Structures are given as structure tokens and as C-alpha cells.
Amino acid sequence: MRDFGAIQSPQNAYLINLGLESLHLRMAQHSKNGLALAQHLAAHPKIAWVRYPGLPGDDQYELAQKYLPNGASGVVSVRRGRRARR
């Protein structure tokens, strides 16, 4: 911010710092919620597929275990529809 000449107001700086202090707690819960949602949707009969790197059986599961040991965030991709019969 200094290089561009922008200066934060004291209130904005305080709020950003306040948010950063609890970020590790919020992200841990965010990842737990993402995993719980992915597990629930994977078992739902009206969902064709779920993509979530923290979900066992996902293409990226091994990489997520290696590079994201504290959780794979809350981003879940879902496709509605009938499951393909195997």
C-alpha cells in the first residue's frame, strides 16, 4: 500500500488486524464445514457427483493430504442429477 500512496484509516487497519488474529480458527472450522457438506452431498441420491479435494475417492485427495494437511477449505463443486449406474 505504501508503494501506491494509499494509506489505511486507523479503523480499517484495526479491523483487518482483528480479522487476521482469528483467521486460523475460522479457516479450520471452514474446512470442517466443507468436508461435512461434501460428505453429506456425496451420499444424497439427487446429486450426480461431488468434487472436494478432502473427500476420500476424489482425484485430488492424495495431493490435498500432502499439501493441505489442515483442511481443503470450503469450496465444493456439485452436479445435480441422477447418478450414473455402475
Side-chain angles (χ1 to χ4, degrees):
M1 291 183 72
R2 180 199 66 200
D3 295 340
F4 295 118
I7 299 173
Q8 277 186 326
S9 70
Q11 181 68 25
N12 288 345
Y14 169 76
L15 291 173
I16 288 173
N17 189 40
L18 190 64
L20 288 175
E21 288 177 355
S22 63
L23 183 63
H24 68 285
L25 298 173
R26 291 183 286 123
M27 285 307 299
Q29 188 60 46
H30 190 58
S31 294
K32 287 179 188 175
N33 290 342
L35 179 59
L37 179 65
Q39 289 171 338
H40 175 75
L41 291 174
H44 198 282
K46 291 186 178 180
I47 301 297
W49 51 258
V50 175
R51 302 284 188 264
Y52 182 72
L55 197 61
D58 189 80
D59 297 344
Q60 304 300 317
Y61 180 74
E62 288 80 20
L63 290 175
Q65 296 303 301
K66 180 178 179 181
Y67 294 114
L68 305 169
N70 296 325
S73 85
V75 179
V76 180
S77 298
V78 179
R79 180 168 183 124
R80 274 188 341 177
R82 301 276 181 218
R83 290 182 193 266
R85 294 184 183 178
R86 295 181 184 184

